[in-house]
Amino acid sequence: VARLYLLAVTLNVWVLVGILAAAFAVQFSSGEPPCPLCVMQRIALMLVALGPLHILLHAYSAGLTARAAALGQGMAIIAAVLGALAAGRQILLHILPSAPGFGSPVFGLHLYTWCFITFSAQIAASAFLLMAATRLDDEKVRGPMTMGTAAVFAFVVAANLISVVAEAGLHWNLPSDPSGYLLFR
Amino acid sequence: LIYAAFMLLVLLTLVASSREHVLELPLFCITILWALAYLVADMTSPLTLSF
């Protein structure tokens, strides 16, 4: 059970890292720098990933415990609620029938709508894994590729950090409808 | 640069988590609350973000 649990948690992190990487790819392939609310949703995705990463890193150093699992899933749920708030806010800003929405749609839906779906699914998945944590006994098991997973996540966060600094320049906030990278102007 | 600060806090939380440091949870809570306050401030003021 413990190994299966850690596999599910590792998969959770990789899905989140994949979404962050895909958003990064869309940013450069379509030449659309992310808007402030899009960046907030990326930050919420990063905060969500910290929950399962807490479980993986705790298991790596001290073994898997139900306490660590409960704490990590709680962190993920709280961050997912924050992300759903940001995505919901952006959906509501563009909800009028004639509104074209913000940015290019991907598979028929805008990225903020995909984000709302992702955060909702994350809340459900974390709640399920929280219930599953009651079945865990304290065990000395490690997740697959824990340090590699954490390193890739850190790389994606650092890349986003550099990108957002380039986009904002030396300004505290981003423009509401960004069209380029202010650091290079 | 506020977004860079949020991401820096995420990285710091990850480092604290990897070292089982006592500051992991406080850093996570500070980031969540700061981001929430920023979002709510935007929601309750004239439209500024992404419009």
Side-chain angles (χ1 to χ4, degrees):
Chain A
V1 176
R3 286 189 191 284
L4 193 64
Y5 195 88
L6 286 176
L7 187 66
V9 170
T10 306
L11 194 67
N12 191 174
V13 178
W14 278 102
V15 167
L16 293 165
V17 167
I19 292 169
L20 283 166
F24 212 54
V26 168
Q27 170 184 340
F28 289 107
S29 65
S30 64
E32 292 175 2
C35 62
L37 279 174
C38 304
V39 178
M40 281 304 291
Q41 287 156 60
R42 287 189 194 185
I43 291 164
L45 283 168
M46 294 167 193
L47 287 165
V48 168
L50 285 176
L53 276 167
H54 168 84
I55 300 168
L56 287 178
L57 291 167
H58 189 275
Y60 187 82
S61 58
L64 179 63
T65 62
R67 184 183 176 279
L71 184 59
Q73 299 302 347
M75 288 165 73
I77 290 172
I78 289 171
V81 170
L82 174 77
L85 266 177
R89 158 78 164 162
Q90 197 164 10
I91 290 170
L92 291 176
L93 283 176
H94 303 287
I95 203 166
L96 288 176
S98 57
F102 196 97
S104 308
V106 176
F107 299 121
L109 295 177
H110 288 279
L111 288 179
Y112 45 85
T113 310
W114 282 118
C115 265
F116 188 82
I117 294 167
T118 302
F119 289 122
S120 305
Q122 178 67 51
I123 292 169
S126 286
F128 178 77
L129 288 170
L130 199 54
M131 290 192 288
T134 58
R135 311 276 301 176
L136 291 174
D137 297 316
D138 293 358
E139 272 187 65
K140 276 275 180 191
V141 287
R142 286 179 174 180
M145 304 182 300
T146 297
M147 297 318 275
T149 303
V152 171
F153 171 74
F155 177 77
V156 170
V157 175
N160 271 282
L161 198 156
I162 293 167
S163 159
V164 85
V165 167
E167 192 183 344
L170 297 176
H171 303 277
W172 186 241
N173 275 310
L174 286 170
S176 63
D177 187 9
S179 57
Y181 295 87
L182 294 176
L183 193 65
F184 306 123
R185 287 189 184 170
Chain B
L1 291 176
I2 188 171
Y3 305 98
F6 287 137
M7 291 181 196
L8 202 58
L9 280 169
V10 168
L11 283 176
L12 284 174
T13 310
L14 181 68
V15 171
S17 182
S18 67
R19 295 176 178 223
E20 300 262 322
H21 199 280
V22 70
L23 281 178
E24 181 200 359
L25 212 52
L27 278 170
F28 178 80
C29 291
I30 286 169
T31 316
I32 287 277
L33 289 175
W34 190 15
L36 184 66
Y38 183 71
L39 196 60
V40 169
D42 175 66
M43 285 175 172
T44 51
S45 58
L47 294 171
T48 52
L49 299 183
S50 309
F51 199 73

